Amino acid sequence: MNEFVKLDLQDELTINELWSLQHKAYRLEAQLIGFLDIPPLLETRDMLRRSSETFYGCLSEDGDIMGAVATQEESPGKLTITRMMVDPDHFRKGIAGSLLNYVFEHYNSMEQFIVSTGKLNTPAVSLYIKHGFIAAGIEEVAPGVELIEFNRIGKLETC
C-alpha cells in the first residue's frame, strides 16, 4: 500500500527528489504535445521551493516519491490541480488516479476541481475523463499547442 503525504518544500532532499521527478515526467509530456517550454521544465529548485502550491506525494515503501500532485485554492470552493507527475518507472500502476482520489478525499468540501493538460497528452486526458472531469475549454498557448481545461463537480463518487 502506498503512503500519501504532504511534501515539505523546505526540505532539501524532498525538493531535489521532487524537482527530478518533475523534470522526468514533464519532459515526456513535452515530447507528447510537441512543446518543450512547459513551465515546470523551466523551473529551478529554488522556484519550486518558493511555490505557493501545496504538494502531496505518493511514496514507495522505501520512502521514494513515485508521484506527486500540486493544488492551489483559487477561490472558496474551487481547487485547481496545478501539477500531476508520476515517475516514468512507475507508469501504469494507478498512481495518478490514486493521487486524484487522495485530493478529492482531502478536499471533500470543494465544489469544483479544475485541471488542464495538453490536448495531445492522451494518457492525461483519459485519466481526467475517467475521474469525472468534463472538458470546459481549449486554449492555444503557443502556435499549434493547445491546452484543455477540465472541470469536475466536487461531490461525485470517486473511482
Side-chain angles (χ1 to χ4, degrees):
M1 177 114 180
N2 299 323
E3 181 183 4
F4 296 91
V5 298
K6 183 176 179 182
L7 298 176
D8 178 3
L9 300 185
Q10 301 313 306
D11 178 76
E12 199 61 34
L13 290 174
T14 299
I15 204 72
N16 286 335
E17 191 174 356
L18 183 61
W19 185 87
S20 177
L21 168 65
Q22 178 168 288
H23 278 255
K24 285 183 206 173
Y26 280 102
R27 262 197 307 268
L28 291 177
E29 180 173 6
Q31 292 169 353
L32 274 175
I33 68 172
F35 183 64
L36 301 179
D37 290 332
I38 294 176
L41 290 177
L42 306 176
E43 196 170 48
T44 65
R45 284 174 180 81
D46 209 38
M47 292 163 73
L48 184 58
R49 186 180 293 110
R50 291 191 315 260
S51 171
S52 62
E53 298 155 85
T54 302
F55 285 78
Y56 300 96
C58 176
L59 306 184
S60 69
E61 290 178 6
D62 299 331
D64 296 327
I65 304 172
M66 298 185 299
V69 62
T71 63
Q72 193 156 27
E73 195 166 343
E74 301 301 327
S75 60
K78 277 188 173 182
L79 188 81
T80 297
I81 297 168
T82 54
R83 306 176 203 220
M84 171 65 73
M85 50 191 128
V86 174
D87 186 312
D89 292 340
H90 296 286
F91 278 0
R92 316 276 323 142
K93 294 181 181 178
I95 292 170
S98 294
L99 284 163
L100 283 175
N101 287 335
Y102 179 81
V103 167
F104 299 150
E105 291 166 16
H106 191 74
Y107 293 97
N108 61 8
S109 65
M110 288 293 160
E111 297 168 14
Q112 181 181 20
F113 295 92
I114 302 162
V115 69
S116 297
T117 192
K119 182 179 175 184
L120 297 178
N121 186 349
T122 46
V125 169
S126 297
L127 171 75
Y128 297 134
I129 291 170
K130 177 183 175 185
H131 283 81
F133 285 90
I134 297 169
I138 297 177
E139 177 186 1
E140 187 173 52
V141 294
V145 180
E146 295 178 318
L147 287 184
I148 301 177
E149 181 179 294
F150 291 93
N151 292 319
R152 180 187 189 273
I153 303 302
K155 305 287 189 281
L156 295 178
E157 289 296 315
T158 56
C159 300

